[in-house]
Amino acid sequence: MSDLPDGVTRRDVEGRERLCTRGRPVYGEPTDGDWRVWDASRSKLGAMLELGMETGLTGGESVLYLGAANGTTVSHVADFAGPTYAVEFAARPVRDLLEAAEPRSNLFPLLKDARKPATYAHVVEANLDVVVQDVATRGQASVANRNARFLAEDGRLLLAVKARSEDVAERPEEVFDEVRSELEERYEILAESRLDRFHTDHLGIVARPR
């Protein structure tokens, strides 16, 4: 099992060991004092950590989170990270994201399209430590490649690939092969793991810029 970043721990909550961060609850998750459960079945990054993937996260990183939705995962990220930029395209979940960001001074919601990084390049700082991507759209590798511009040379991409968003008819293994091939234009893949224990037909990838 890989080491967890500072600010993330495992605690006994409701009779079993659960991944937790310290912060204000967002989605009605179980808590233990100041600690809130990080439910891997609701979070691709949480699943990557639960499965022991070597994400390279240590705590305190600067983060660009693509596909923040209503803030379920990115709120946990902001609990242990440094400045965290949360990009979400749909207006409705951004309302929840704004609520999640209210008590977190390091969480910056952006109503933007992750496929168009030029629209938020004036806001997001350069040389970030981490890009986390969970975008349910076609062209997930393309999104990652376009956003590589924000990463430091020794930064990390933590990507959750949803096969059904690329092609509902194609076998997930074939989709993942295609995503890997395109991703390797800009990244070196360091680790990968199927996330099916928590998320069907998903692949977690850890990569660094070439």
Side-chain angles (χ1 to χ4, degrees), residues 44 134 136 140 159-165 172 176 193-204:
K44 315 308 186 307
D134 180 13
Q140 292 166 81
L159 170 64
V161 182
K162 183 177 181 179
R164 299 306 178 193
S165 292
F176 298 146
S193 176
R194 289 290 292 261
L195 306 182
D196 296 77
R197 176 179 157 195
F198 300 102
H199 303 278
T200 303
D201 296 332
H202 281 71
L203 179 71

mmCIF file of all heavy atoms in Angstrom, residues 44 134 136 140 159-165 172 176 193-204:
data_model
loop_
_atom_site.group_PDB
_atom_site.id
_atom_site.type_symbol
_atom_site.label_atom_id
_atom_site.label_comp_id
_atom_site.label_asym_id
_atom_site.label_seq_id
_atom_site.Cartn_x
_atom_site.Cartn_y
_atom_site.Cartn_z
ATOM 1 N N LYS A 44 -12.832 9.199 -8.052
ATOM 2 C CA LYS A 44 -11.818 8.414 -8.775
ATOM 3 C C LYS A 44 -10.452 8.550 -8.109
ATOM 4 O O LYS A 44 -9.717 7.565 -7.975
ATOM 5 C CB LYS A 44 -11.717 8.867 -10.241
ATOM 6 C CG LYS A 44 -13.013 9.087 -10.987
ATOM 7 C CD LYS A 44 -13.976 7.940 -10.918
ATOM 8 C CE LYS A 44 -15.182 8.189 -11.829
ATOM 9 N NZ LYS A 44 -15.869 9.471 -11.623
ATOM 10 N N ASP A 134 -10.741 14.348 -14.144
ATOM 11 C CA ASP A 134 -11.884 13.431 -14.136
ATOM 12 C C ASP A 134 -12.973 14.076 -14.979
ATOM 13 O O ASP A 134 -13.949 14.622 -14.462
ATOM 14 C CB ASP A 134 -12.359 13.183 -12.695
ATOM 15 C CG ASP A 134 -13.547 12.240 -12.631
ATOM 16 O OD1 ASP A 134 -13.856 11.585 -13.643
ATOM 17 O OD2 ASP A 134 -14.182 12.156 -11.559
ATOM 18 N N ALA A 136 -15.694 13.575 -17.974
ATOM 19 C CA ALA A 136 -16.470 12.570 -18.714
ATOM 20 C C ALA A 136 -16.820 13.115 -20.094
ATOM 21 O O ALA A 136 -17.904 13.644 -20.327
ATOM 22 C CB ALA A 136 -17.730 12.207 -17.945
ATOM 23 N N GLN A 140 -10.392 12.421 -23.823
ATOM 24 C CA GLN A 140 -9.831 12.665 -22.493
ATOM 25 C C GLN A 140 -8.315 12.831 -22.532
ATOM 26 O O GLN A 140 -7.747 13.637 -21.788
ATOM 27 C CB GLN A 140 -10.237 11.526 -21.547
ATOM 28 C CG GLN A 140 -11.738 11.523 -21.253
ATOM 29 C CD GLN A 140 -12.223 10.241 -20.611
ATOM 30 O OE1 GLN A 140 -12.087 10.046 -19.403
ATOM 31 N NE2 GLN A 140 -12.790 9.346 -21.396
ATOM 32 N N LEU A 159 -4.893 10.954 -13.740
ATOM 33 C CA LEU A 159 -5.975 10.914 -14.723
ATOM 34 C C LEU A 159 -6.877 9.715 -14.496
ATOM 35 O O LEU A 159 -6.393 8.581 -14.353
ATOM 36 C CB LEU A 159 -5.367 10.845 -16.132
ATOM 37 C CG LEU A 159 -6.297 10.552 -17.313
ATOM 38 C CD1 LEU A 159 -7.320 11.680 -17.483
ATOM 39 C CD2 LEU A 159 -5.469 10.375 -18.588
ATOM 40 N N ALA A 160 -8.185 9.953 -14.465
ATOM 41 C CA ALA A 160 -9.163 8.873 -14.430
ATOM 42 C C ALA A 160 -9.837 8.815 -15.799
ATOM 43 O O ALA A 160 -10.523 9.762 -16.197
ATOM 44 C CB ALA A 160 -10.200 9.118 -13.341
ATOM 45 N N VAL A 161 -9.609 7.727 -16.530
ATOM 46 C CA VAL A 161 -10.158 7.573 -17.874
ATOM 47 C C VAL A 161 -11.461 6.789 -17.787
ATOM 48 O O VAL A 161 -11.485 5.659 -17.290
ATOM 49 C CB VAL A 161 -9.178 6.826 -18.800
ATOM 50 C CG1 VAL A 161 -9.759 6.731 -20.209
ATOM 51 C CG2 VAL A 161 -7.816 7.501 -18.813
ATOM 52 N N LYS A 162 -12.538 7.380 -18.279
ATOM 53 C CA LYS A 162 -13.840 6.709 -18.316
ATOM 54 C C LYS A 162 -14.069 6.177 -19.723
ATOM 55 O O LYS A 162 -14.296 6.958 -20.654
ATOM 56 C CB LYS A 162 -14.947 7.683 -17.923
ATOM 57 C CG LYS A 162 -16.328 7.041 -17.861
ATOM 58 C CD LYS A 162 -17.370 8.039 -17.397
ATOM 59 C CE LYS A 162 -18.738 7.380 -17.304
ATOM 60 N NZ LYS A 162 -19.778 8.319 -16.831
ATOM 61 N N ALA A 163 -13.993 4.862 -19.871
ATOM 62 C CA ALA A 163 -14.077 4.253 -21.202
ATOM 63 C C ALA A 163 -15.384 4.589 -21.900
ATOM 64 O O ALA A 163 -15.405 4.875 -23.103
ATOM 65 C CB ALA A 163 -13.907 2.744 -21.098
ATOM 66 N N ARG A 164 -16.492 4.580 -21.172
ATOM 67 C CA ARG A 164 -17.801 4.775 -21.793
ATOM 68 C C ARG A 164 -18.002 6.198 -22.294
ATOM 69 O O ARG A 164 -18.868 6.443 -23.129
ATOM 70 C CB ARG A 164 -18.915 4.390 -20.814
ATOM 71 C CG ARG A 164 -18.883 2.934 -20.364
ATOM 72 C CD ARG A 164 -18.874 1.969 -21.540
ATOM 73 N NE ARG A 164 -18.799 0.572 -21.116
ATOM 74 C CZ ARG A 164 -18.538 -0.435 -21.930
ATOM 75 N NH1 ARG A 164 -18.311 -0.220 -23.213
ATOM 76 N NH2 ARG A 164 -18.478 -1.667 -21.476
ATOM 77 N N SER A 165 -17.220 7.136 -21.792
ATOM 78 C CA SER A 165 -17.301 8.501 -22.306
ATOM 79 C C SER A 165 -16.601 8.636 -23.649
ATOM 80 O O SER A 165 -16.917 9.530 -24.440
ATOM 81 C CB SER A 165 -16.694 9.492 -21.312
ATOM 82 O OG SER A 165 -17.479 9.576 -20.144
ATOM 83 N N PRO A 172 -13.530 -1.596 -23.350
ATOM 84 C CA PRO A 172 -12.736 -0.679 -22.518
ATOM 85 C C PRO A 172 -11.235 -0.835 -22.722
ATOM 86 O O PRO A 172 -10.502 0.166 -22.762
ATOM 87 C CB PRO A 172 -13.152 -1.046 -21.089
ATOM 88 C CG PRO A 172 -14.542 -1.547 -21.231
ATOM 89 C CD PRO A 172 -14.565 -2.282 -22.542
ATOM 90 N N PHE A 176 -8.676 2.165 -23.602
ATOM 91 C CA PHE A 176 -7.525 2.519 -22.776
ATOM 92 C C PHE A 176 -6.240 2.500 -23.590
ATOM 93 O O PHE A 176 -5.356 3.347 -23.390
ATOM 94 C CB PHE A 176 -7.429 1.568 -21.573
ATOM 95 C CG PHE A 176 -8.607 1.621 -20.644
ATOM 96 C CD1 PHE A 176 -9.039 0.477 -19.977
ATOM 97 C CD2 PHE A 176 -9.292 2.806 -20.425
ATOM 98 C CE1 PHE A 176 -10.123 0.515 -19.111
ATOM 99 C CE2 PHE A 176 -10.389 2.858 -19.564
ATOM 100 C CZ PHE A 176 -10.805 1.709 -18.902
ATOM 101 N N SER A 193 -3.832 1.613 -13.044
ATOM 102 C CA SER A 193 -4.595 0.568 -12.373
ATOM 103 C C SER A 193 -6.060 0.689 -12.776
ATOM 104 O O SER A 193 -6.594 1.809 -12.845
ATOM 105 C CB SER A 193 -4.473 0.694 -10.853
ATOM 106 O OG SER A 193 -5.277 -0.262 -10.195
ATOM 107 N N ARG A 194 -6.699 -0.436 -13.046
ATOM 108 C CA ARG A 194 -8.142 -0.425 -13.246
ATOM 109 C C ARG A 194 -8.811 -0.062 -11.925
ATOM 110 O O ARG A 194 -8.395 -0.512 -10.856
ATOM 111 C CB ARG A 194 -8.613 -1.803 -13.724
ATOM 112 C CG ARG A 194 -8.205 -2.150 -15.146
ATOM 113 C CD ARG A 194 -8.945 -1.328 -16.185
ATOM 114 N NE ARG A 194 -10.365 -1.647 -16.242
ATOM 115 C CZ ARG A 194 -10.914 -2.464 -17.145
ATOM 116 N NH1 ARG A 194 -10.157 -3.058 -18.052
ATOM 117 N NH2 ARG A 194 -12.219 -2.675 -17.142
ATOM 118 N N LEU A 195 -9.865 0.733 -12.018
ATOM 119 C CA LEU A 195 -10.572 1.213 -10.839
ATOM 120 C C LEU A 195 -11.899 0.488 -10.635
ATOM 121 O O LEU A 195 -12.758 0.948 -9.868
ATOM 122 C CB LEU A 195 -10.826 2.723 -10.947
ATOM 123 C CG LEU A 195 -9.609 3.612 -11.212
ATOM 124 C CD1 LEU A 195 -10.032 5.076 -11.253
ATOM 125 C CD2 LEU A 195 -8.509 3.396 -10.176
ATOM 126 N N ASP A 196 -12.067 -0.659 -11.297
ATOM 127 C CA ASP A 196 -13.364 -1.337 -11.335
ATOM 128 C C ASP A 196 -13.900 -1.718 -9.960
ATOM 129 O O ASP A 196 -15.113 -1.864 -9.802
ATOM 130 C CB ASP A 196 -13.276 -2.582 -12.214
ATOM 131 C CG ASP A 196 -12.979 -2.234 -13.667
ATOM 132 O OD1 ASP A 196 -11.811 -1.931 -13.976
ATOM 133 O OD2 ASP A 196 -13.914 -2.244 -14.472
ATOM 134 N N ARG A 197 -13.037 -1.884 -8.984
ATOM 135 C CA ARG A 197 -13.530 -2.190 -7.634
ATOM 136 C C ARG A 197 -14.468 -1.100 -7.136
ATOM 137 O O ARG A 197 -15.428 -1.364 -6.385
ATOM 138 C CB ARG A 197 -12.344 -2.354 -6.684
ATOM 139 C CG ARG A 197 -12.735 -2.568 -5.226
ATOM 140 C CD ARG A 197 -11.492 -2.746 -4.370
ATOM 141 N NE ARG A 197 -11.731 -2.419 -2.983
ATOM 142 C CZ ARG A 197 -10.777 -2.222 -2.087
ATOM 143 N NH1 ARG A 197 -9.502 -2.334 -2.436
ATOM 144 N NH2 ARG A 197 -11.076 -1.917 -0.834
ATOM 145 N N PHE A 198 -14.230 0.131 -7.594
ATOM 146 C CA PHE A 198 -15.049 1.263 -7.177
ATOM 147 C C PHE A 198 -15.797 1.916 -8.332
ATOM 148 O O PHE A 198 -16.871 2.495 -8.128
ATOM 149 C CB PHE A 198 -14.169 2.320 -6.501
ATOM 150 C CG PHE A 198 -13.454 1.828 -5.280
ATOM 151 C CD1 PHE A 198 -12.115 1.491 -5.319
ATOM 152 C CD2 PHE A 198 -14.138 1.696 -4.079
ATOM 153 C CE1 PHE A 198 -11.453 1.045 -4.184
ATOM 154 C CE2 PHE A 198 -13.485 1.247 -2.934
ATOM 155 C CZ PHE A 198 -12.146 0.915 -2.981
ATOM 156 N N HIS A 199 -15.225 1.871 -9.548
ATOM 157 C CA HIS A 199 -15.792 2.567 -10.705
ATOM 158 C C HIS A 199 -15.626 1.680 -11.939
ATOM 159 O O HIS A 199 -14.505 1.491 -12.427
ATOM 160 C CB HIS A 199 -15.093 3.915 -10.916
ATOM 161 C CG HIS A 199 -15.157 4.820 -9.725
ATOM 162 N ND1 HIS A 199 -16.257 5.595 -9.446
ATOM 163 C CD2 HIS A 199 -14.259 5.034 -8.716
ATOM 164 C CE1 HIS A 199 -16.035 6.266 -8.325
ATOM 165 N NE2 HIS A 199 -14.839 5.942 -7.874
ATOM 166 N N THR A 200 -16.724 1.171 -12.445
ATOM 167 C CA THR A 200 -16.688 0.245 -13.563
ATOM 168 C C THR A 200 -16.145 0.909 -14.824
ATOM 169 O O THR A 200 -16.505 2.050 -15.140
ATOM 170 C CB THR A 200 -18.102 -0.306 -13.840
ATOM 171 O OG1 THR A 200 -18.589 -0.935 -12.646
ATOM 172 C CG2 THR A 200 -18.096 -1.317 -14.968
ATOM 173 N N ASP A 201 -15.281 0.179 -15.548
ATOM 174 C CA ASP A 201 -14.728 0.619 -16.828
ATOM 175 C C ASP A 201 -13.973 1.946 -16.725
ATOM 176 O O ASP A 201 -14.061 2.806 -17.609
ATOM 177 C CB ASP A 201 -15.831 0.717 -17.903
ATOM 178 C CG ASP A 201 -16.450 -0.634 -18.208
ATOM 179 O OD1 ASP A 201 -15.765 -1.665 -18.044
ATOM 180 O OD2 ASP A 201 -17.634 -0.681 -18.614
ATOM 181 N N HIS A 202 -13.229 2.095 -15.633
ATOM 182 C CA HIS A 202 -12.349 3.256 -15.452
ATOM 183 C C HIS A 202 -10.908 2.768 -15.277
ATOM 184 O O HIS A 202 -10.668 1.707 -14.703
ATOM 185 C CB HIS A 202 -12.739 4.062 -14.216
ATOM 186 C CG HIS A 202 -13.920 4.962 -14.398
ATOM 187 N ND1 HIS A 202 -15.206 4.476 -14.527
ATOM 188 C CD2 HIS A 202 -14.004 6.313 -14.481
ATOM 189 C CE1 HIS A 202 -16.037 5.507 -14.652
ATOM 190 N NE2 HIS A 202 -15.329 6.623 -14.635
ATOM 191 N N LEU A 203 -9.984 3.600 -15.738
ATOM 192 C CA LEU A 203 -8.558 3.342 -15.572
ATOM 193 C C LEU A 203 -7.916 4.550 -14.915
ATOM 194 O O LEU A 203 -8.103 5.692 -15.368
ATOM 195 C CB LEU A 203 -7.887 3.083 -16.926
ATOM 196 C CG LEU A 203 -6.380 2.809 -16.895
ATOM 197 C CD1 LEU A 203 -6.104 1.431 -16.297
ATOM 198 C CD2 LEU A 203 -5.778 2.908 -18.307
ATOM 199 N N GLY A 204 -7.170 4.320 -13.841
ATOM 200 C CA GLY A 204 -6.397 5.381 -13.209
ATOM 201 C C GLY A 204 -4.991 5.400 -13.763
ATOM 202 O O GLY A 204 -4.369 4.343 -13.892
#
